[in-house]
């Protein structure tokens, strides 16, 4: 079945540091890939997406590139802010199992200090 | 628009009690889902609905019931609560089958003692 593996956290960074959160996936078809973010006390929000190989999703300074050859979708940001502190989830959905069935990774907590 | 709303925010139950978690959306979305979030396990799909009157099971449906009598509401029922159901529950909706973005509610934190 489909699965998503994320690096364990927490990831602790100082403000303006470079961020990478690793995500790899296993899927039988050609999945769409997502990063969701969960701020403290809130539900998940879609951060960015990529629907086919080599697509780059970007939003709010975050980027991730769909790499089919390495089955990866790593999240990056050049300069993090304290307000980026949150839990980040990598996820996929597959047209063949239905877009309804998002498969999530376990989440990576990011802590950014001033 | 209020988006996706969930009530209650917090709930404590004793083993064997029943309760209903409420979820409503005012965006006229056809698709709605329930997830549970447990430490170290990410979110797992419990049940979902592709429209009023139509529901189906997700990854972890045991111990939960759902119904969808209206487009707006998608309640989740715990028939006989167990400590293993202690979790944070999220409701989500999206407008169409091919819509990638799901809109999540703020969650309900449930503790079963």
């Amino acid at each position: 079945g489909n699965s998503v593996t994320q690096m364990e956290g927490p990831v602790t960074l100082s403000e303006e540091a470079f961020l990478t959160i690793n995500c790899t996936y296993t899927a039988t078809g050609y999945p769409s890939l997502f990063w969701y973010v969960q701020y403290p006390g809130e539900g998940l929000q879609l951060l960015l997406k990529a629907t086919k190989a080599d697509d780059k999703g970007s939003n709010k300074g975050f980027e991730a590139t769909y790499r089919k050859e390495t089955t990866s979708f790593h999240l990056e940001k050049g300069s993090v802010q304290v307000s980026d502190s949150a839990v980040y989830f990598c996820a996929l959905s597959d047209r063949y199992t239905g877009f309804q069935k998002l498969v999530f990774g376990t989440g990576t907590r990011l802590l950014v200090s001033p | 628009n209020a988006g996706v709303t969930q009530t209650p925010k917090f709930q404590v139950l004793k083993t064997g009690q029943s309760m209903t978690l409420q979820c409503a959306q005012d965006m006229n979305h056809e698709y709605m889902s329930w997830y549970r979030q447990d430490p170290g396990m990410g979110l797992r799909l419990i049940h979902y609905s592709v429209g009023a009157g139509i529901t189906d099971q997700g990854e972890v449906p045991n111990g939960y019931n759902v119904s969808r009598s209206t487009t707006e509401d998608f309640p989740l029922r715990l028939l006989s609560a167990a400590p293993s159901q202690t979790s944070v529950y999220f409701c989500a909706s999206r407008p169409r089958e091919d819509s990638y973005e799901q809109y999540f509610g703020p969650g309900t934190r449930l503790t079963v003692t």
Side-chain angles (χ1 to χ4, degrees), chain A residues 32 34 36 38 41-46 49 51 87 89 93 95 97-107, chain B residues 31-33 35 37 40-43 45 48-50 57 90 94 97-107:
Chain A
S32 296
F34 310 88
Y36 278 81
Q38 184 180 29
E42 297 183 11
L44 280 71
Q45 304 171 26
L46 180 65
K49 68 177 187 289
T51 59
V87 181
F89 292 90
S93 69
R95 177 180 298 276
T97 58
F99 284 112
Q100 192 67 222
K101 297 180 182 177
L102 269 177
V103 175
F104 286 89
T106 54
Chain B
Y31 291 77
M32 296 185 74
S33 307
Y35 293 87
Q37 182 182 27
M41 301 191 74
L43 276 76
L45 182 65
Y48 65 98
S49 168
V50 300
Q57 296 181 350
F90 289 100
R94 61 191 173 97
E97 182 180 12
D98 60 348
S99 171
Y100 295 111
E101 181 167 3
Q102 295 211 37
Y103 296 79
F104 282 82

Side-chain angles (χ1 to χ4, degrees), chain A residues 60-81:
Chain A
K60 299 181 181 179
F62 291 89
E63 293 183 340
T65 301
Y66 188 148
R67 302 283 189 203
K68 186 167 178 289
E69 63 277 11
T70 55
T71 62
S72 64
F73 192 55
H74 304 322
L75 182 68
E76 296 181 336
K77 187 175 186 184
S79 176
V80 295
Q81 305 301 312

Side-chain angles (χ1 to χ4, degrees), chain A residues 48-64:
Chain A
L48 53 84
K49 68 177 187 289
T51 59
K52 60 183 187 295
D54 300 325
D55 267 3
K56 177 185 282 189
S58 62
N59 186 26
K60 299 181 181 179
F62 291 89
E63 293 183 340

Side-chain angles (χ1 to χ4, degrees), chain B residues 17-36:
Chain B
Q17 287 184 316
S18 63
M19 80 159 295
T20 299
L21 307 185
Q22 302 292 343
C23 174
Q25 50 92 10
D26 61 359
M27 298 174 283
N28 202 33
H29 286 175
E30 289 295 320
Y31 291 77
M32 296 185 74
S33 307
W34 275 103
Y35 293 87
R36 59 178 289 173

